[in-house]
């Protein structure tokens, strides 16, 4: 039986002819250059930057010839996070993190730009002249090669202007990008299936008067095609109230409500039709004269004449180009019951722009067909309105969602809008690109702001990527993570030093596993002994320094010669015996080096003395090979004897790693302990550390919670802040009245201040997370979410009851912290599901 239905094949109606030289050629001889567009990330752009982006678009568009269509197409597609579970080596916490985000829904954004050179006749065609309505499409030949050549030159100039602005990047799409290749659908295939998934087969397209359907997806179209639907005024950007305060502004582009803020599958099409401006203005002059002559018959004619004259006055006064524009939101769903909700959501988004929502059912088919990449010449002219380039550009969306860093190294944070995991490099790539000159970090956050969670999350990922991590803590913040690592490595790593009466901190400053005593090791031993011998305010003479240096060198030669085990006790006995004889032979006077006084002051650290345990540890522990070390010094931070010795040893451990571990990443993180270190005459260590660590593939990180500390301490101001190109701030609303001082101290811009004050202001109640601001070199900054799995939470928590629960269960399970965390996390999930 003959098929009598009003159907046709896609081939017979397809308006495009070929893709040549990375351009789409239509059967009506239109030529289209296609670009992929990379916009700046959401919530990272200030008002002045939006103006700069707007200005760049304007300059670029003015270079294009007449009868060009600028078509910007933004795709917003609902996707689910695909976890990285296929990696061969993944830690327990890394796997739990990936499982936590498995199938997390988020709205992904893809942006394209099509520049179509068409003809004057095609620009005037209405919907009844669309290729959909023609019986047969006969390809035309491009006769004027000079026009094509000039257009391609203008396209190259357009590309250069946009890329030079520094905020937006556009890159030419290849034939493979447009047409697709094996296993990857091209842009045309994606548009005709409304799907970006590979393996999606072509389905029937229904282009009816009542409904437009692509496969099972039904379209819902809202248009801005009439000046009556537009707001009274437009701008490049506007204030986003949810993340703004009375002291700060969060800015988004004017069209942001129809972009990432509209949470559904949709395409936002933006068209600019560059007619011949002079002809347009002449047509308006003629229309104004006609209106004037008919004004006596209708007041509407008089009003329209005034509006036309205002338009002409603007054009002639400021040299503006008359163009036509059109904008539409094309949303879809495969569930017919969702169409009403889609319609309401799209209408609300337009209303937020102060536009009059117009649900278009008449030209849906023609507009969908014209939205096909390369087919902008088919656009029905009656759906456009006259305007100028600058106001039309205000309807362009100018931001995208957060992007993963291309660097292999980094940490996992979450997108603050959707919660999708983001791979973020705040160390290597910014150094490579010249954004920062060192990897040091300064972290400021009041108590309860999520500071310990963030630092635990960061150092855990650094450790898992091969870094040596040394932590100086004053509140057991890293006990859980350290215990987990210790158990996993069967005691080979995850070393936790803390002071208790039963098990006080003990070291052997003379021990090295390879017997190498380099200059750094010798200097650290001398500094340690000097600290034991002299007070901070007691000067050391040159002769005393020489005598001490000779004593250390002599003892090192002795242990090498005798192949003896080194210790402080043996050093003390060497000075008491052999070295005293050497001084006598050299006739060193008592006033130059008082050996009796020296031995008397060091006697408490010799066997039988009050602190004989401190420097005579019999554990042959060389911390050079340990990759995760925690020094918990809360119990001794006020101790005048123990604290300076322990801090010197800590610094010596890290400097030893810094000097000897070539090509290996290493970091030292100092929590509130830096205040005590700075007080004890250790300021030079901190200054030295922050200035030189970058040369050894290392980074120094300081964490503090008191604003007054950073405002009042010259050490922090001169050494730490000035040498920390990465600044990390947590919720500062507690200090909002002092924030001007913090802003001045840290050198934050007004944009960065607005970002910091927006932290945790609009958090999603369905997710448990805290936000954190990360600023790099004063030029790149954004707010991210620290969201972790239940297992990571239990490893990082500083809540005493939760830590005790983990440690008690671990003790019952033979010290297995990982198994304890697994069981508690599993039990909590079951309770939540009940």
């Amino acid at each position: 039986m003959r098929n009598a239905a009003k159907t046709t094949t896609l081939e017979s109606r397809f308006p495009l002819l070929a893709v040549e030289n990375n351009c789409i050629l239509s059967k009506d001889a239109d030529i289209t250059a296609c670009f992929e567009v990379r916009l700046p990330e959401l919530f990272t752009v200030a008002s002045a930057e939006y103006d700069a982006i707007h200005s760049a678009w304007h300059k670029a568009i003015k270079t294009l010839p007449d009868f060009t269509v600028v078509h910007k197409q933004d795709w917003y597609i609902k996707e689910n996070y695909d976890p990285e579970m296929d990696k061969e080596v993944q830690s327990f916490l890394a796997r739990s993190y990936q499982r936590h985000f498995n199938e997390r829904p988020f709205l992904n954004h893809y942006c394209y730009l099509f520049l179509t050179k068409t003809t004057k006749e095609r620009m005037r065609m209405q919907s009844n002249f669309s290729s959909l309505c023609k019986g047969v499409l006969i390809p035309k030949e491009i006769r004027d090669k000079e026009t094509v050549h000039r257009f391609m030159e203008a396209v190259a100039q357009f590309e250069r202007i946009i890329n030079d602005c520094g905020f937006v990047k556009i890159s030419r799409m290849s034939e493979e990008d447009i047409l697709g290749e094996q296993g990857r659908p091209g842009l045309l295939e994606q548009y005709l299936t409304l799907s970006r998934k590979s393996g999606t087969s072509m389905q029937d397209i229904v282009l009816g008067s009542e409904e437009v359907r692509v496969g099972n997806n039904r379209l819902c179209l809202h248009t801005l095609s009439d000046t009556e639907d537009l707001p009274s005024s437009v701008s490049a950007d506007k204030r986003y109230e949810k993340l703004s305060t009375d002291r700060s502004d969060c800015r988004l582009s004017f069209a942001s409500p129809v972009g990432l803020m509209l949470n559904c599958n949709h395409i936002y099409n933006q068209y600019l039709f560059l007619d011949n401006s002079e002809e347009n203005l002449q047509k308006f002059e003629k229309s104004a004269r006609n209106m004037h002559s008919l004004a006596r018959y209708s007041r509407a004619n008089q009003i329209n004449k005034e509006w036309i004259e205002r338009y002409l006055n603007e054009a002639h006064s400021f040299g503006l180009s008359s163009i036509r524009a059109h904008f539409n939101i094309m949303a879809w769903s495969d569930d017919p019951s969702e169409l009403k909700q889609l319609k309401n959501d799209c209408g609300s988004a337009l209303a937020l722009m102060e536009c009059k929502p117009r649900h278009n059912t008449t030209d849906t088919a023609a507009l969908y067909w014209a939205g096909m990449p390369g087919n902008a010449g088919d656009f029905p002219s009656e759906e456009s309105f006259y305007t100028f380039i600058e106001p039309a550009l205000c309807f362009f969306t100018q931001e995208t969602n957060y992007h993963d860093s291309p660097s292999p190294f980094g940490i996992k944070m979450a997108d603050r809008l959707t919660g999708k995991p983001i791979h973020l490099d705040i160390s290597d790539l910014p150094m490579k690109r010249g954004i920062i000159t060192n990897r040091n970090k300064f972290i400021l956050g009041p108590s309860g702001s999520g500071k310990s969670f963030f630092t635990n999350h960061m150092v855990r990922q650094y450790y898992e990527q091969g870094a040596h991590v040394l932590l100086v803590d004053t509140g057991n913040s890293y006990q859980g993570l350290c215990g987990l690592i210790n158990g996993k490595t069967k005691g080979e790593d995850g070393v936790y030093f803390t002071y208790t009466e039963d098990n006080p901190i003990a070291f052997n400053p003379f021990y090295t596993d390879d017997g190498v005593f380099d200059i750094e090791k010798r200097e650290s031993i001398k500094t340690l002994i000097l600290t034991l011998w002299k007070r901070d305010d007691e000067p050391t003479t040159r002769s005393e320094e020489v005598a001490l240096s000779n004593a250390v060198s002599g003892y090192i030669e002795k242990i090498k010669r005798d192949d003896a085990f080194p210790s402080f006790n043996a050093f003390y006995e060497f000075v008491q015996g052999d070295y005293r004889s050497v001084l006598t032979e050299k006739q060193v006077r008592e006033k130059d080096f008082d050996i009796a006084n020296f031995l008397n002051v060091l006697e408490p650290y010799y066997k039988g003395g009050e602190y004989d345990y401190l420097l005579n540890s019999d554990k042959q522990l060389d911390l050079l090979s340990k990759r995760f070390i925690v020094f918990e010094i809360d119990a001794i931070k006020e101790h005048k004897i123990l604290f300076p010795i322990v801090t010197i040893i800590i610094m010596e451990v890290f400097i030893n790693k810094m000097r000897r571990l070539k090509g290996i990443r290493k970091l030292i993180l100092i929590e509130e302990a830096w205040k005590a270190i700075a007080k004890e005459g250790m300021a030079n260590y901190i200054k030295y550390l922050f200035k030189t660590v970058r040369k050894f593939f290392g980074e120094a990180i300081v964490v503090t919670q008191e604003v007054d500390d950073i405002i009042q301490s010259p050490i922090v101001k001169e050494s730490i802040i000035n040498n920390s190109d990465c600044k990390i701030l947590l919720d500062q609303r507690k200090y909002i009245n002092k924030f001007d001082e913090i802003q001045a101290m840290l050198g934050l811009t007004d944009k960065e201040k607005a970002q910091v004050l927006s932290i945790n202001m609009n958090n999603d109640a369905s997710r448990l997370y805290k936000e954190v601001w990360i600023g790099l070199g004063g030029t790149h900054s954004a707010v991210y979410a620290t969201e972790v799995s239940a297992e990571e939470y239990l490893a990082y928590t500083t809540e005493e009851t939760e830590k005790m629960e983990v440690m008690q269960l671990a003790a019952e399970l033979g010290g297995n912290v990982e198994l304890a965390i697994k069981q508690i996390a599993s039990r909590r999930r079951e309770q939540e599901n009940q």
Side-chain angles (χ1 to χ4, degrees):
M1 183 185 288
R2 184 170 173 268
N3 185 3
K6 292 182 179 179
T7 59
T8 186
T9 60
L10 181 62
E11 288 85 353
S12 65
R13 287 287 183 269
F14 200 60
L16 308 180
L17 179 65
V19 176
E20 293 181 7
N21 297 322
N22 300 331
C23 290
I24 300 175
L25 303 178
S26 80
K27 291 177 181 175
D28 276 292
D30 299 336
I31 181 168
T32 302
C34 307
F35 294 90
E36 198 164 353
V37 184
R38 191 180 179 96
L39 297 169
E41 293 175 345
L42 193 70
F43 307 127
T44 66
V45 189
S47 188
E49 291 164 347
Y50 276 120
D51 287 339
I53 295 169
H54 185 273
S55 177
W57 281 117
H58 186 213
K59 289 173 188 171
I61 287 170
K62 288 188 78 172
T63 64
L64 297 174
D66 292 344
F67 311 117
T68 297
V69 183
V70 178
H71 177 199
K72 181 168 170 283
Q73 188 173 77
D74 291 82
W75 289 58
Y76 299 92
I77 308 294
K78 278 188 171 182
E79 296 180 7
N80 294 324
Y81 177 68
D82 185 19
E84 301 168 359
M85 302 299 287
D86 55 345
K87 288 188 177 179
E88 291 180 10
V89 181
Q90 218 173 32
S91 73
F92 158 62
L93 291 182
R95 284 196 309 274
S96 68
Y97 180 87
Q98 294 295 337
R99 280 197 301 269
H100 174 73
F101 287 98
N102 184 29
E103 297 293 316
R104 171 69 63 89
F106 66 97
L107 195 68
N108 215 346
H109 176 217
Y110 307 89
C111 184
Y112 305 101
L113 180 73
F114 311 114
L115 304 178
T116 302
K117 180 69 179 77
T118 184
T119 60
K120 181 179 179 180
E121 294 74 25
R122 291 266 291 157
M123 291 275 273
R124 299 290 181 204
M125 284 184 180
Q126 297 191 343
S127 56
N128 54 348
F129 281 93
S130 169
S131 57
L132 280 174
C133 305
K134 294 178 182 177
V136 182
L137 295 181
I138 302 172
K140 295 180 181 177
E141 185 180 345
I142 301 175
R143 299 184 184 281
D144 190 356
K145 300 290 190 291
E146 183 61 31
T147 301
V148 175
H149 180 69
R150 285 200 302 270
F151 172 67
M152 295 314 295
E153 281 185 341
V155 167
Q157 202 172 348
F158 180 100
E159 183 178 1
R160 191 162 56 249
I161 291 169
I162 294 295
N163 286 331
D164 284 350
C165 82
F167 298 105
V168 179
K169 293 293 178 188
I170 63 173
S171 54
R172 283 293 291 273
M173 296 179 73
S174 66
E175 291 184 21
E176 290 76 19
D177 294 330
I178 299 166
L179 296 175
E181 54 189 346
Q182 186 67 35
R184 183 170 71 104
L187 187 56
L188 287 170
E189 185 180 338
Q190 292 169 22
Y191 187 81
L192 293 170
T193 57
L194 291 181
S195 172
R196 295 185 59 87
K197 295 177 183 176
S198 59
T200 304
S201 57
M202 294 292 291
Q203 297 176 318
D204 288 345
I205 299 175
V206 177
L207 303 175
S209 56
E210 298 296 324
E211 152 182 287
V212 172
R213 183 162 51 83
V214 178
N216 293 326
N217 292 313
R218 289 167 171 80
L219 262 63
C220 168
L221 190 74
H222 284 72
T223 57
L224 290 177
S225 52
D226 196 320
T227 49
E228 292 179 2
D229 300 337
L230 304 181
S232 55
S233 63
V234 293
S235 58
D237 63 301
K238 63 179 183 178
R239 179 180 162 101
Y240 184 59
E241 292 295 341
K242 288 182 180 178
L243 293 179
S244 297
T245 69
D246 56 348
R247 295 169 181 261
S248 62
D249 267 359
C250 175
R251 311 298 293 185
L252 290 178
S253 65
F254 183 78
S256 60
V258 297
L260 285 166
M261 299 301 170
L262 179 55
N263 190 21
C264 64
N265 285 321
H266 68 286
I267 292 175
Y268 179 48
N269 288 300
Q270 304 124 79
Y271 295 92
L272 303 184
F273 304 94
L274 310 183
D275 297 310
N276 185 294
S277 182
E278 290 301 318
E279 287 184 11
N280 279 353
L281 295 178
Q282 287 173 10
K283 188 174 76 173
F284 277 119
E285 293 279 8
K286 183 178 178 182
S287 181
R289 287 196 296 271
N290 290 340
M291 292 289 180
H292 180 69
S293 64
L294 298 171
R296 69 177 73 180
Y297 302 110
S298 168
R299 182 173 296 275
N301 289 333
Q302 179 65 32
I303 294 169
N304 286 337
K305 174 228 169 190
E306 290 173 6
W307 279 110
I308 292 170
E309 285 188 340
R310 281 185 65 181
Y311 182 85
L312 290 166
N313 290 341
E314 287 279 319
H316 289 302
S317 300
F318 300 103
L320 303 178
S321 299
S322 173
I323 64 163
R324 287 179 295 118
H326 169 89
F327 308 97
N328 69 57
I329 307 169
M330 192 185 299
W332 65 87
S333 173
D334 57 3
D335 184 355
S337 63
E338 287 184 6
L339 285 176
K340 186 175 181 182
Q341 186 62 45
L342 270 184
K343 179 182 174 183
N344 292 338
D345 289 348
C346 294
S348 299
L350 287 169
L352 286 172
M353 294 167 63
E354 297 180 26
C355 297
K356 182 179 177 182
R358 188 180 295 275
H359 183 228
N360 193 316
T361 55
T362 309
D363 277 335
T364 307
L367 291 173
Y368 168 73
W369 202 244
M372 188 189 304
N375 196 36
D378 248 359
F379 188 89
S381 61
E382 73 270 23
E383 285 287 346
S384 60
F385 60 90
Y386 284 96
T387 181
F388 301 119
I389 297 173
E390 284 186 284
L393 285 171
C394 294
F395 289 89
F396 274 28
T397 51
Q398 305 287 21
E399 60 270 305
T400 187
N401 45 11
Y402 287 6
H403 288 299
D404 287 326
S405 168
S407 169
F409 177 82
I411 60 174
K412 290 283 186 187
M413 299 298 289
D415 184 318
R416 70 186 303 199
L417 188 66
T418 64
K420 177 206 169 192
I422 303 294
H423 177 74
L424 182 67
D425 184 356
I426 54 176
S427 294
D428 291 359
L429 195 64
M431 278 279 283
K432 188 177 179 182
R433 291 180 174 174
I435 296 167
I436 58 176
T437 57
N438 60 65
R439 296 179 177 85
N440 300 338
K441 296 169 180 60
F442 176 75
I443 303 175
L444 172 68
S447 179
S449 62
K451 187 168 68 272
S452 294
F453 257 77
F454 172 76
T455 50
N456 265 286
H457 190 56
M458 179 175 69
V459 298
R460 189 267 292 176
Q461 293 178 85
Y462 268 65
Y463 170 77
E464 288 174 0
Q465 293 174 83
H468 279 242
V469 178
L470 190 149
L471 305 166
V472 188
D473 189 25
T474 57
N476 292 308
S477 301
Y478 306 95
Q479 189 176 14
L481 181 59
C482 191
L484 188 67
I485 291 170
N486 185 272
K488 193 69 179 173
T489 59
K490 297 179 180 176
E492 290 297 314
D493 217 332
V495 185
Y496 197 84
F497 289 101
T498 187
Y499 184 91
T500 62
E501 291 294 332
D502 299 332
N503 187 22
I505 292 177
F507 302 97
N508 183 352
F510 290 90
Y511 177 75
T512 62
D513 65 339
D514 54 6
V516 175
F517 290 89
D518 56 13
I519 293 172
E520 292 294 331
K521 184 68 176 176
R522 291 167 188 254
E523 286 298 319
S524 70
I525 292 171
K526 286 191 285 185
T527 304
L528 172 64
I529 295 170
L530 205 58
T531 305
L532 300 174
W533 181 26
K534 298 281 187 178
R535 293 195 192 94
D536 290 341
D537 55 352
E538 194 176 350
T540 307
T541 64
R542 179 65 181 149
S543 59
E544 288 174 331
E545 287 179 3
V546 170
L548 177 59
S549 182
N550 288 338
V552 171
S553 297
Y555 174 65
I556 289 170
E557 292 302 318
K558 184 179 188 304
I559 59 176
K560 284 183 176 179
R561 185 173 61 248
D562 299 346
D563 195 23
F565 182 76
S567 68
F568 181 80
N569 285 342
F571 171 75
Y572 187 89
E573 290 164 0
F574 169 77
V575 174
Q576 201 173 34
D578 294 3
Y579 192 59
R580 189 192 288 271
S581 303
V582 170
L583 293 177
T584 304
E585 285 177 23
K586 288 184 176 180
Q587 298 181 348
V588 175
R589 295 173 298 178
E590 184 179 318
K591 69 174 185 178
D592 293 328
F593 180 66
D594 189 349
I595 191 168
N597 169 267
F598 179 75
L599 291 169
N600 183 53
V601 172
L602 296 187
E603 191 175 1
Y605 309 99
Y606 179 60
K607 60 185 173 188
E610 185 181 358
Y611 303 110
D612 62 348
Y613 60 86
L614 187 63
L615 302 175
N616 289 291
S617 173
D618 57 356
K619 295 177 183 176
Q620 296 184 16
L621 181 66
D622 182 25
L623 298 178
L624 182 68
S625 61
K626 305 300 180 186
R627 290 206 301 112
F628 197 92
I629 308 165
V630 179
F631 288 94
E632 167 52 58
I633 58 173
D634 192 47
I636 59 165
K637 66 181 179 184
E638 303 298 332
H639 201 293
K640 291 189 177 296
I641 294 173
L642 293 177
F643 184 76
I645 298 168
V646 172
T647 49
I648 286 175
I649 291 170
I650 292 169
M651 292 299 178
E652 188 268 331
V653 167
F654 186 73
I655 289 171
N656 193 33
K657 285 178 178 288
M658 195 170 78
R659 293 278 183 181
R660 294 176 64 187
L661 296 175
K662 304 292 185 185
I664 298 174
R665 188 188 307 276
K666 68 279 295 183
L667 73 89
I668 180 169
L669 185 143
I670 308 172
E671 285 259 0
E672 301 295 325
W674 67 265
K675 289 183 282 186
I677 292 171
K679 286 178 189 170
E680 297 291 340
M682 299 293 292
N684 289 333
Y685 257 116
I686 288 193
K687 287 181 180 178
Y688 169 77
L689 198 63
F690 269 79
K691 287 180 180 177
T692 60
V693 69
R694 69 175 182 82
K695 300 173 185 175
F696 300 95
F697 196 25
E699 50 192 85
I701 304 170
V702 156
V703 183
T704 188
Q705 66 179 19
E706 290 297 330
V707 177
D708 291 337
D709 292 335
I710 65 164
I711 292 173
Q712 294 170 8
S713 171
I715 300 299
V716 185
K717 183 179 178 182
E718 293 168 18
S719 303
I720 297 174
I721 292 176
N722 291 349
N723 290 293
S724 297
D725 281 0
C726 176
K727 296 176 178 67
I728 299 171
L729 275 68
L730 292 101
D731 198 334
Q732 300 292 313
R733 283 177 292 178
K734 189 182 289 187
Y735 303 134
I736 194 165
N737 293 326
K738 293 182 178 179
F739 199 77
D740 287 344
E741 293 175 74
I742 299 173
Q743 182 185 2
M745 177 67 68
L746 298 180
L748 304 182
T749 64
D750 288 337
K751 178 182 94 172
E752 291 171 332
K753 173 187 174 182
Q755 289 174 337
V756 172
L757 294 181
S758 75
I759 290 173
N760 294 336
M761 280 191 66
N762 191 36
N763 285 11
D764 186 345
S766 65
R767 289 161 42 213
L768 185 64
Y769 65 98
K770 293 281 181 72
E771 291 185 335
V772 56
W773 176 84
I774 300 175
L776 296 167
T779 57
H780 291 64
S781 60
V783 177
Y784 302 91
T786 307
E787 184 177 349
V788 297
S789 64
E791 288 83 355
E792 288 171 295
Y793 176 85
L794 290 167
Y796 303 160
T797 183
T798 54
E799 192 68 38
E800 190 171 4
T801 54
E802 293 174 329
K803 280 168 67 175
M804 286 176 64
E805 183 184 3
V806 172
M807 292 306 169
Q808 285 170 3
L809 183 56
E812 293 171 15
L813 297 168
N816 193 328
V817 178
E818 181 177 320
L819 188 56
I821 288 173
K822 279 181 182 176
Q823 290 188 9
I824 296 171
S826 178
R827 188 167 66 237
R828 290 188 176 185
R829 272 193 286 267
E830 287 174 6
Q831 290 170 352
E832 286 174 8
N833 294 332
Q834 286 175 357

